[in-house]
Amino acid sequence: SAAVHLLEWFVVHTNRQAEPVADRRLRALGYETFFPQYRTLVRHARRVHKVLRAFLPRYLFVGLAPGQGLYGVNTAEGVATVLSSGGRPQRLPDSVVTEWRQRMGEGGIVEVAPGEGAQREKLKPGESVTIPGGPFAEFPGIVELDNGREITVWATLFDRRVKVQFPAEWLSPVVRRQRG
């Protein structure tokens, strides 16, 4: 909608596992939010369930309309803080949110295909990776942990290191050129 372009976007750091709570609370307070999520399969008691998970654990985005302030955001249930840089709230370019929304489809949800074993084998802890697809295209990262379903990567986003989980097929090892 045309009104979306009037928004100023900011990055919200939430309390642990409180992204859905913060998202609902901010919306109830009249803020526009963008909370990227993905569907994944979870095995429990021999059953497989599809569940939604935060794409950026502990982060979501809030859009401020003209006249709206950040005070209500900072005091909302589930919110730890609004990211700042140099003592000022860190703005996110509108183009970034627009692009992520387009890439993620309806409701900010990404469908994730089952991991590919061959790709997983190439990714070891400490390995430098880039994310070739999805909303994080070309962000650099370092593999930290492989939990068997997703690979935890330290990615550099918004000028800080953020722990993000990705399906193996979304990651590419960084190719180092041989000196000859």
Side-chain angles (χ1 to χ4, degrees), residues 2-25:
V4 172
H5 295 291
L6 298 174
L7 299 177
E8 283 190 275
W9 288 95
F10 296 89
V11 182
V12 173
H13 191 226
T14 69
N15 294 323
R16 192 174 200 85
Q17 296 181 341
E19 306 91 339
V21 171
D23 182 57
R24 280 193 305 274
R25 192 69 199 122

Side-chain angles (χ1 to χ4, degrees), residues 22-153:
D23 182 57
R24 280 193 305 274
R25 192 69 199 122
L26 290 168
R27 285 175 181 274
L29 291 169
Y31 292 100
E32 173 87 24
T33 63
F34 178 52
F35 172 36
Q37 300 176 83
Y38 68 99
R39 284 187 219 285
T40 188
L41 297 176
V42 172
R43 284 166 178 56
H44 180 70
R46 295 191 205 153
R47 298 185 72 173
V48 177
H49 304 279
K50 264 192 172 183
V51 296
L52 282 175
R53 291 265 162 86
F55 204 87
L56 278 169
R58 297 195 66 188
Y59 291 92
L60 58 90
F61 308 98
V62 65
L64 266 59
Q68 273 186 320
L70 284 169
Y71 179 78
V73 174
N74 270 318
T75 59
E77 182 184 2
V79 172
T81 189
V82 173
L83 288 196
S84 61
S85 180
R88 300 178 59 103
Q90 189 169 345
R91 277 196 71 212
L92 189 65
D94 184 53
S95 59
V96 172
V97 175
T98 301
E99 183 178 337
W100 282 17
R101 278 188 155 149
Q102 288 168 349
R103 289 181 180 210
M104 298 192 90
E106 222 28 61
I109 296 171
V110 181
E111 289 297 334
V112 171
E116 295 173 12
Q119 179 69 349
R120 182 174 301 288
E121 290 302 307
K122 296 183 216 166
L123 303 170
K124 304 277 185 243
E127 179 91 39
S128 292
V129 292
T130 57
I131 300 116
F136 296 93
E138 305 314 312
F139 279 115
I142 303 287
V143 173
E144 183 195 58
L145 176 70
D146 178 344
N147 73 5
R149 289 184 303 279
E150 294 130 347
I151 295 175
T152 302
V153 173

